[in-house]
Amino acid sequence: MSVPAATIRKQLRALASPETAAILQRFFKTGPGEYGEGDVFLGIKVPPLRALAKQHRDADLDTIASLLDSRYHEERLFALLLLMQFYQAGDTPGQQAACDLYLARTQRINNWDLVDISAPHIVGRHLQDRSRKVLHTLARSPMLWERRIAIIATFHFIRLGDFADTLRIAGILLHDEHDLMHKAVGWMLREIGKRDLTVEEGFLLRHYHSMPRTMLRYAIERFPEQRRIDFLHGTARE
């Protein structure tokens, strides 16, 4: 039986640390004009959240939705951990409902850690054998976090050796203005390269002269030193 959201909130408060909260609020850039502006932290690290989530495997979608609407970052993160468990254990209608909830609440999945911990395991997994058009729509969103969901969700496909949507979305995001997107796209390209370096290099050779420097650096991080230097100096060839 699902425990009420109010009970879970009390359990989370018992794990909170004001000292940790102050550190996290600086780390996740919550100041004026920063990407996490206005976010509020309780001060709970991820391992205790994961441990507590295992005690609430029977959490229902109403409870999860309530926590996801919280002003507190860790409550939203905890909701996503619960939603991942719900999805994994669910039947087809339940999994559809979980993915629908996720996509309906993207404004609450509003920092890079929230996206990265959840998007591949809910959105990516759900779209494995379905149309992926929603990812291409999200990639063109004015909302930073929806664009990040679009590319990070494809990590699920990458792990299966399926790179096509990652490359298409990387193309859409190639000239994104936000540094967090440069890092995300570069990371996913690097993950492709771990599995098929030829595919990654093919994309880079077409685009590296114009892509943001941070994106390129992330993408070539694991390259042999001379090859990395060639890309950075603009002299890389097939």
Side-chain angles (χ1 to χ4, degrees):
M1 183 176 178
S2 181
V3 173
T7 300
I8 294 176
R9 289 191 175 99
K10 290 179 181 178
Q11 294 173 339
L12 291 171
R13 297 301 188 283
L15 298 172
S17 162
E19 294 79 12
T20 301
I23 293 169
L24 292 173
Q25 290 200 195
R26 289 193 298 272
F27 182 75
F28 285 104
K29 307 296 185 184
T30 63
E34 296 182 309
Y35 62 74
E37 181 176 357
D39 205 355
V40 181
F41 285 75
L42 292 168
I44 312 171
K45 296 182 179 180
V46 174
L49 291 173
R50 288 190 183 277
L52 185 60
K54 291 177 181 178
Q55 300 175 30
H56 293 286
R57 292 188 180 276
D58 56 355
D60 59 29
L61 288 182
D62 288 339
T63 297
I64 294 170
S66 177
L67 292 168
L68 194 53
D69 283 337
S70 173
R71 68 189 289 259
Y72 293 107
H73 186 100
E74 291 92 341
E75 287 190 7
R76 300 196 304 280
L77 176 55
F78 191 74
L80 293 169
L81 293 173
L82 295 180
L83 191 60
M84 288 159 58
Q85 290 179 171
F86 184 96
Y87 187 93
Q88 185 175 11
D91 56 12
T92 299
Q95 291 179 339
Q96 183 67 58
C99 190
D100 288 347
L101 173 62
Y102 190 99
L103 293 174
R105 293 292 207 283
T106 51
Q107 76 277 10
R108 309 305 300 147
I109 307 168
N110 57 352
N111 215 312
W112 59 263
D113 64 319
L114 304 180
V115 173
D116 295 359
I117 206 169
S118 61
H121 302 290
I122 299 173
V123 181
R125 181 173 172 181
H126 193 68
L127 300 181
Q128 178 179 325
D129 298 313
R130 295 176 173 86
S131 170
R132 301 173 186 176
K133 289 182 180 179
V134 65
L135 296 182
H136 298 263
T137 299
L138 291 173
R140 293 179 171 88
S141 171
M143 188 189 302
L144 166 64
W145 307 117
E146 290 191 339
R147 301 198 304 275
R148 188 161 177 119
I149 287 169
I151 189 68
I152 298 298
T154 70
F155 200 177
H156 180 80
F157 313 146
I158 292 171
R159 288 177 172 132
L160 299 174
D162 178 358
F163 310 135
D165 286 280
T166 305
L167 296 174
R168 291 190 193 103
I169 292 170
I172 294 170
L173 298 172
L174 199 61
H175 302 295
D176 197 286
E177 295 182 356
H178 205 289
D179 182 68
L180 283 176
M181 294 308 304
H182 304 167
K183 294 175 180 178
V185 174
W187 172 24
M188 291 300 101
L189 291 172
R190 185 173 74 238
E191 291 297 331
I192 289 175
K194 288 180 184 179
R195 294 154 177 88
D196 193 326
L197 188 58
T198 301
V199 172
E200 183 192 5
E201 286 204 355
F203 182 90
L204 292 177
L205 288 167
R206 291 192 297 276
H207 301 293
Y208 83 100
H209 283 293
S210 63
M211 70 170 48
R213 199 69 165 175
T214 297
M215 187 185 296
L216 177 60
R217 286 186 179 277
Y218 268 62
I220 64 175
E221 191 174 86
R222 295 169 61 92
F223 280 23
E225 182 65 15
Q226 187 56 55
R227 189 62 167 160
R228 195 175 64 82
I229 290 171
D230 290 342
F231 272 104
L232 290 174
H233 289 179
T235 57
R237 301 289 184 269
E238 289 187 21

